Structure formats: C-alpha cells, structure tokens
C-alpha cells in the first residue's frame, strides 16, 4: 500500500505536465538544428539517380555509371596492359584499357597513387591499383581516385563511389535513373 502512495506522489498530474512542457520546449531546438544542417547540404547538392550517364575524357561516347553510396572508392572496368612490380606501394605508371558493352574502348596511362585491398564476392582479398581520373557526372567535373578492376561481369563498367559523390556534392535518389545528361564544359576536361 505504501509503494502505491509514493508512486502517486512522484507522478502527480502537475509533475507529468511539467515533464511534458519541458519536452515540448526542447523539441523546436532539435528540429531547427536538423533543418539548418539539411539546408546547408541542400544548398550546394544535386540530386541524381542511382544510374546516370557520364563522360570520361578520352572515351568517345557517354558511359553508363552506377552511383553507389555503399562503395568507398570509385571503380572502373580495366584490362591491365602494363604495370610496375606489385611490390611498390605507389609510383610508377600503369597502362590499362577501358571497355564497356556499348562499344567504348580507350587506353589510358596513369601514375599509380596507391594500391588497395578489396574483398571479392568469394571472400578472397584482391590487390588493385588506384589512379586519379576525371569524370563528368550531372554537369560536374569530378577528379578523384579510381581503383582499376575487372568489371566485365557487372552491368555497369563504372561504379561511382562515395569519394566522388562527396566531392561533387551529389545526392543519390534510388527511385530515379538518368536524371541529367553529362554536359560539362569541354575546356575543364583538359585541366
């Protein structure tokens, strides 16, 4: 009986009202902080679909790319033609061919920025070279690190990862595809 009395004293209607009132007062502050952060991101961000077309300097036609927020680094389909010894961590030149199912074919030669370990579907670790490349996605030039991979078995020859999405301030809407044609200024491609 005594415990019931203490419970009713602790949680009187007045106490409950005060708790709810304080909670309601703090709610607008939390909402406004979220809105301010969202507004900052939305100000410069561009929404794109999960599949878009892109331009790669040196490749004649547009390329279909998948934008993947789950991938840390961008990846491109590459057939390695010449590479330095794998013992080196960075430096040296690598020559590779980009090929896609649309008939695009281009040969590139780039300095190796670093090597990265990637876990394959089967669970094995793969060592891939990483180079810097430039892409035009959603009217924005993006130059960032790209790992060279065998993507012949995938639907898209290029996977745009978070490194490029962040740099270009692209927000992926998974319900959309092909939202913007890649029409970046040509003079920026040369820089």
């Amino acid at each position: 009986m005594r415990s019931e009395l203490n419970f009713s004293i602790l949680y009187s209607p007045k106490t409950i009202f005060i708790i709810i009132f304080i909670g309601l007062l703090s709610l607008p502050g939390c909402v406004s902080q979220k809105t301010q952060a969202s507004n900052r991101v939305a100000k410069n961000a561009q929404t794109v679909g999960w599949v878009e077309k892109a331009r790669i300097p040196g490749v004649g036609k547009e390329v279909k790319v998948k934008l993947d927020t789950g991938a840390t680094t961008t990846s491109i389909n590459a057939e390695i033609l010449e590479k330095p010894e794998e013992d080196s961590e960075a430096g040296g030149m690598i020559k590779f061919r980009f090929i896609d199912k649309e008939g695009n074919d281009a040969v590139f030669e780039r300095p190796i920025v670093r090597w990265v370990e990637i876990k394959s579907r089967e669970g094995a670790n793969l060592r891939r070279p990483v180079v810097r490349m430039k892409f035009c996605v959603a009217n924005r030039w993006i130059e960032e690190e790209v790992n060279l991979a065998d993507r012949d078995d995938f639907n898209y020859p290029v996977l745009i990862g978070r490194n490029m999405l962040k740099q270009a301030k692209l927000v992926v809407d998974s319900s959309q595809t092909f939202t913007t044609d890649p029409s970046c200024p040509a003079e920026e491609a040369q820089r």
Side-chain angles (χ1 to χ4, degrees):
M1 182 88 165
R2 188 175 181 137
S3 63
E4 290 176 18
L5 180 62
N6 288 338
F7 180 78
S8 64
I9 293 172
L10 288 174
Y11 295 103
S12 69
K14 184 178 179 182
T15 306
I16 293 171
F17 174 76
I18 291 171
I19 291 170
I20 292 172
F21 182 72
I22 291 171
L24 290 174
L25 284 177
S26 64
L27 184 63
C30 295
V31 171
S32 68
Q33 288 175 355
K34 183 179 178 186
T35 303
Q36 289 170 355
S38 299
N39 288 344
R40 241 180 279 126
V41 170
K43 194 183 284 185
N44 298 320
Q46 181 176 351
T47 301
V48 292
W50 70 276
V51 176
E52 293 288 345
K53 291 181 182 174
R55 290 202 165 277
I56 304 171
V59 176
K61 299 178 200 169
E62 293 176 348
V63 175
K64 290 180 185 175
V65 299
K66 178 179 177 184
L67 291 85
D68 187 350
T69 60
T72 304
T73 307
T74 299
S75 183
I76 189 169
N77 188 36
E79 175 190 345
I80 307 297
L81 302 174
E82 295 174 20
K83 66 180 178 178
E85 292 182 29
E86 286 192 34
D87 295 329
S88 65
E89 281 305 310
M93 298 295 283
I94 191 161
K95 190 174 186 178
F96 63 96
R97 170 176 280 121
F98 168 77
I99 302 171
D100 70 3
K101 295 172 184 163
E102 308 294 319
N104 288 311
D105 185 346
V107 175
F108 296 95
E109 190 168 0
R110 298 278 193 278
I112 298 173
V113 176
R114 63 187 173 93
W115 291 81
V116 66
E117 292 276 332
I118 306 279
K119 189 167 253 181
S120 73
R121 290 180 184 176
E122 296 81 31
N125 284 338
L126 304 171
R127 192 163 188 245
R128 293 185 186 165
V130 177
V131 299
R132 290 187 68 81
M133 291 190 73
K134 187 179 267 192
F135 296 88
C136 172
V137 180
N139 304 324
R140 298 176 186 213
W141 281 111
I142 317 164
E143 185 171 6
E144 234 331 320
E145 291 185 352
V146 176
N147 70 62
L148 307 180
D150 179 359
R151 295 187 55 82
D152 283 336
D153 294 336
F154 291 91
N155 292 332
Y156 303 99
V158 177
L159 181 86
I160 303 291
R162 288 192 310 266
N163 65 331
M164 285 194 169
L165 294 172
K166 181 179 176 182
Q167 186 195 45
K169 296 183 174 105
L170 298 176
V171 177
V172 179
D173 180 344
S174 62
S175 69
Q176 297 186 41
T177 58
F178 305 112
T179 61
T180 309
D181 286 331
S183 56
C184 297
E187 63 273 3
E188 286 190 39
Q190 307 307 320
R191 293 186 209 163

